[in-house]
């Protein structure tokens, strides 16, 4: 069977099918029903690596004012690994290493070492000259080094797929076949990006001589030499520049690694309000259903953060992924689209760019003073109504005949009813940013002993959660972690102040928040087993402890 035939069979066995689509090229639909929280796909990435301290924010595309990724300095060292190469968690003070490649493969635990060896390191070990990759990376600005590391690692993985004759491991052959189907949009990339990619590729070809890093080239010894190799690497950079993923720790709110997973990129189109999401867990990229996905329905992921305004999302998707988003949230006709229009400040269904130039000056939310100590916080009724809509959905299950669909529509209706009388400045994305800053600032001050700011920390966390509910699907991991964050803040505030911090905030609210956190995280990330959280066991213990304390002390009085 051909590689493409094996790929199609692999996809079909998992209840998925790619079908032609005149607008998108193709889309992947479910051939069977997936229930909320069910795994849609789980596979090892073709290549992945943890972030390093100065390389945590790789440039998506630097602008034309900074066209050169090269560094004039020579001999500059790169940051050492600080995270496990398998799960991407921080390394402890003492950690195991691969006995053969030593510095290249470091782990947070013996369990990760064993799992990584069994999954992939048994064929990766020694195949890529990681010292040469580090030396080459040192010649680039830190924000460009991940591109070089990914180019070398993906090349080595593709070379391994060609070297291994027995078809094992199967996931490697599937990912390599999917790589061959990815579109790189090289002709669409801006010229300055191609110049940047060419310089990165030139550094890689000049300093990493082993054939493993050039798996893009059919024959690395071809007579055209370095120019042909460089051109092949540029094409590869274009291909995974618009197809890669970031591993994210939802409890630490931080990117932990970079992933190239061609199968996931190939299968799932984007939606700003997706019905699935992925987590990186124990070396696997796991795609899970955020709600019921019915037979024949397209499965979608979000390529960009939903907590950005529509105009920002669309610009990023056009600039980086080379398509115009027409999802239901962006088009504005559905209930969720209307909610998004309110967040974006739109008053009609005109394009966000056209509307943006007509917006009045942004105002602070009316309930957010600049001096916290002179004002007692309060919670606007719309926030409580939005949160109650979330609690009803996630804590009571689905009771309707058409599954999740009508329950999600009811949440959209609840949100629209709750905010319809609110001044625009109270519910725009700009208001969310102010409340997020308030939460972070008050948390910092509380940690320094300013107990008078506990009420503001609680209130701001509830506002942030309300905005998450308006922007993300209700079972999104960030909704779950924010539910738990708000529950902890309200509970701790009640213990420190010996009284509810503000009206409408009491033990019953804490219980609802904790139960919502538990329900959402079980769906989105398979808590407590997911390693997409820096310590999923800790999150589980916190949820259990809060429920025990509420049960012991009564859940409605304090």
């Amino acid at each position: 069977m051909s590689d493409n035939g094996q790929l199609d069979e692999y996809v079909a066995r998992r209840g998925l099918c790619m079908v032609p689509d005149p607008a998108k090229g193709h889309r992947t639909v479910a051939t069977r029903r997936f229930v909320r929280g069910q795994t849609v796909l789980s596979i090892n990435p073709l290549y992945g690596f943890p972030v390093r301290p100065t390389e945590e924010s790789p440039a998506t595309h630097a602008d034309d004012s900074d066209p050169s990724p090269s560094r004039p300095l020579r001999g500059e060292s790169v940051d050492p690994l600080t995270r496990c190469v398998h799960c991407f968690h921080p390394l402890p003070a003492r950690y195991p290493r691969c006995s053969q490649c030593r510095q290249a493969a470091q782990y947070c635990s013996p369990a990760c070492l064993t799992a990584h060896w069994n999954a992939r390191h048994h064929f990766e070990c020694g195949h890529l000259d990681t010292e040469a990759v580090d030396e080459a990376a040192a010649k680039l600005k830190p924000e460009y080094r991940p591109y070089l590391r990914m180019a070398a690692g993906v090349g080595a993985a593709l070379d391994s797929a060609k070297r291994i004759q027995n078809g094992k491991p199967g996931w490697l052959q599937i990912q390599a076949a999917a790589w061959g189907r990815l579109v790189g949009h090289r002709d669409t990339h801006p010229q300055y990006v191609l110049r940047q990619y060419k310089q990165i590729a030139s550094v890689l070809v000049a300093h990493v001589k082993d054939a493993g890093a050039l798996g893009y080239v059919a024959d690395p010894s071809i007579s055209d030499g370095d120019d042909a190799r460089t051109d092949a690497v540029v094409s590869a950079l274009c291909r995974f520049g618009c197809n890669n993923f970031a591993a994210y720790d939802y409890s630490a709110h931080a990117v932990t690694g970079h992933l190239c997973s061609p199968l996931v990129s190939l299968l799932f189109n984007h939606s700003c309000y997706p019905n699935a999401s992925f987590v990186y867990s124990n070396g696997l990229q796991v795609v899970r259903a955020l709600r019921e996905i019915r037979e024949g329905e397209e499965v979608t992921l979000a390529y960009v953060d939903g907590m950005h305004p529509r105009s920002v999302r669309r610009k990023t998707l056009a600039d980086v992924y080379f398509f115009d988003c027409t999802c239901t949230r962006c088009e504005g006709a559905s209930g969720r689209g209307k909610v998004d229009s309110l967040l974006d400040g739109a008053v009609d269904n005109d394009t966000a760019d056209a509307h943006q130039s007509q917006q009045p000056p942004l105002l602070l939310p009316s309930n957010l003073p600049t001096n916290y100590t002179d004002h007692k916080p309060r919670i606007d009724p719309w926030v409580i109504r939005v949160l109650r809509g979330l609690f009803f959905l996630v804590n009571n299950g689905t009771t309707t005949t058409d599954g999740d669909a009508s329950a999600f529509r009811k949440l959209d209706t609840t949100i629209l009813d709750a905010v319809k009388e609110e001044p625009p400045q109270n519910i725009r994305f700009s208001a969310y940013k102010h409340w997020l800053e308030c939460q972070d600032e008050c948390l910092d001050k509380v940690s320094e002993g300013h107990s008078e700011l506990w009420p503001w920390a609680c209130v701001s966390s509830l506002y942030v959660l309300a905005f998450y509910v308006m922007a993300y699907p209700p079972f999104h991991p960030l909704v779950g972690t924010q539910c738990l964050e708000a529950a902890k803040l309200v509970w701790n505030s009640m213990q420190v102040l010996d009284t509810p911090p503000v009206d409408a905030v009491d033990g019953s609210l804490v219980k609802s928040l904790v139960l919502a956190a538990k329900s959402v995280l079980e769906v989105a990330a398979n808590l407590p087993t997911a390693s997409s959280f820096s310590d999923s066991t800790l999150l589980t213990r916190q949820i259990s402890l809060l429920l025990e304390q509420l049960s012991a002390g009564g859940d409605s009085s304090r």
Side-chain angles (χ1 to χ4, degrees), residues 187-387:
D187 293 341
T188 315
H189 277 72
Q191 286 301 309
Y192 73 89
V193 173
L194 294 177
R195 290 196 299 271
Q196 293 166 350
Y197 283 172
K198 185 175 181 179
Q199 291 189 53
I200 295 169
S202 298
V203 171
L204 175 64
V205 170
H207 296 279
V208 185
K209 297 298 186 180
D210 61 316
L214 299 173
Y216 318 101
V217 185
D219 180 2
S221 64
I222 53 180
S223 58
D224 289 340
D226 285 357
D227 288 345
R229 298 185 187 110
T230 299
D231 189 70
V233 176
V234 169
S235 293
L237 285 164
C238 289
R239 194 176 297 186
F240 59 67
C242 55
N243 286 287
N244 276 8
F245 297 92
Y248 193 78
D249 182 339
Y250 288 102
S251 58
H253 296 277
V255 172
T256 60
H258 307 291
L259 306 171
C260 178
S261 188
L263 182 63
V264 179
S265 300
L266 177 68
L267 289 180
F268 304 117
N269 289 323
H270 164 80
S271 170
C272 295
Y273 195 66
N275 55 17
S277 69
F278 86 87
V279 294
Y280 180 71
S281 179
N282 299 313
L284 297 170
Q285 188 173 15
V286 183
V287 177
R288 296 172 65 83
L290 293 181
R291 61 169 175 80
E292 179 190 42
I293 301 174
R294 296 194 161 192
E295 182 178 348
E297 184 179 358
E298 183 179 11
V299 184
T300 57
L301 296 175
Y303 294 0
V304 296
D305 187 357
M307 280 309 303
H308 289 306
R310 183 184 302 165
S311 53
V312 174
R313 299 195 310 268
R314 280 181 157 173
K315 185 177 188 309
T316 301
L317 292 167
D319 290 350
V320 178
Y321 300 96
F322 306 105
F323 69 87
D324 296 321
C325 185
T326 58
C327 73
T328 55
R329 182 178 171 193
C330 282
E331 289 300 282
S334 66
R336 184 57 53 159
K338 293 176 182 177
V339 172
D340 192 54
S341 294
L342 294 172
L343 288 167
D344 208 39
V347 294
D348 51 35
N349 289 335
D350 291 340
T351 64
D353 289 338
H355 165 72
Q356 204 172 32
S357 62
Q358 303 170 10
Q359 286 187 7
L362 294 178
L363 301 174
L364 284 173
S366 58
N367 189 22
L368 180 59
T370 54
N371 187 342
Y372 307 131
T373 57
D374 292 342
H375 298 80
K376 183 178 179 180
R378 61 179 175 83
I379 301 178
D380 287 324
W382 73 266
V383 174
I384 298 299
R385 292 183 64 186
V386 168
L387 297 188

Side-chain angles (χ1 to χ4, degrees), residues 474-551:
F475 288 92
H476 191 282
L478 285 175
V479 174
T481 54
Q482 186 64 23
C483 281
L484 183 57
E485 179 72 12
K488 291 188 295 184
L489 286 173
V490 174
W491 177 257
N492 290 334
S493 175
M494 291 166 58
Q495 307 314 302
V496 171
L497 303 177
D498 199 34
T499 183
V502 293
D503 293 339
V505 173
D506 55 20
S508 62
L509 177 63
V510 177
K511 184 174 183 179
S512 295
L513 287 166
V514 176
L515 292 175
K518 183 174 183 292
S519 297
V520 172
L521 294 177
E522 285 176 346
V523 166
N526 196 27
L527 197 70
T529 61
S531 65
S532 52
F533 299 86
S534 53
D535 193 341
S536 59
T537 303
L538 176 61
L539 292 182
T540 305
R541 287 202 305 267
Q542 289 175 343
I543 290 172
S544 298
L545 180 61
L546 279 169
L547 291 175
E548 289 173 5
Q549 291 175 333
L550 286 165
S551 178

Side-chain angles (χ1 to χ4, degrees), residues 121-139:
H121 197 58
H122 65 277
F123 65 82
E124 288 181 332
C125 186
H127 186 52
L128 179 64
D129 187 346
T130 55
E131 290 186 3
V133 172
D134 278 347
E135 290 174 4
K139 301 181 184 303

